[in-house]
Amino acid sequence: MSKAVTVATFTSNFDMKYMLFKEMLDEAGIDFMLVNEITSTIDGTFSGSPTNIGIEIRVMEDKFEEALEIYNSIK
């Protein structure tokens, strides 16, 4: 069984590389999931929530190499 693995972590959902990477994954037909997207935008709202939560983009491990190649192509 394949599992989801993290390809990249971003500190903000306003990061241009983050937005471009998601768009390029969509164009390549690679399904991905976002982890901590909401939590990172409401940083500090919840008592005790860490302030360094990153937004993770995860793909299924069989698509990891292809996704990593796309990520590395972004300057």
Side-chain angles (χ1 to χ4, degrees):
M1 179 187 289
S2 191
K3 65 179 183 174
V5 293
T6 301
V7 179
T9 303
F10 299 89
T11 56
S12 168
N13 58 353
F14 299 109
D15 183 324
M16 289 304 292
K17 194 169 183 176
Y18 166 77
M19 291 187 259
L20 184 58
F21 186 41
K22 290 191 321 178
E23 183 67 29
M24 292 173 78
L25 288 173
D26 275 337
E27 287 178 14
I30 299 174
D31 292 329
F32 62 91
M33 65 182 73
L34 302 173
V35 179
N36 298 327
E37 183 183 35
I38 303 299
T39 307
S40 71
T41 27
I42 57 172
D43 182 42
T45 301
F46 295 112
S47 174
S49 69
T51 57
N52 61 347
I53 294 176
I55 304 169
E56 295 177 30
I57 295 184
R58 295 182 184 175
V59 298
M60 298 311 285
E61 62 186 349
D62 62 328
K63 295 290 184 176
F64 177 79
E65 291 300 323
E66 186 178 354
L68 186 60
E69 210 172 287
I70 291 169
Y71 177 74
N72 289 333
S73 75
I74 302 170
K75 302 286 183 210

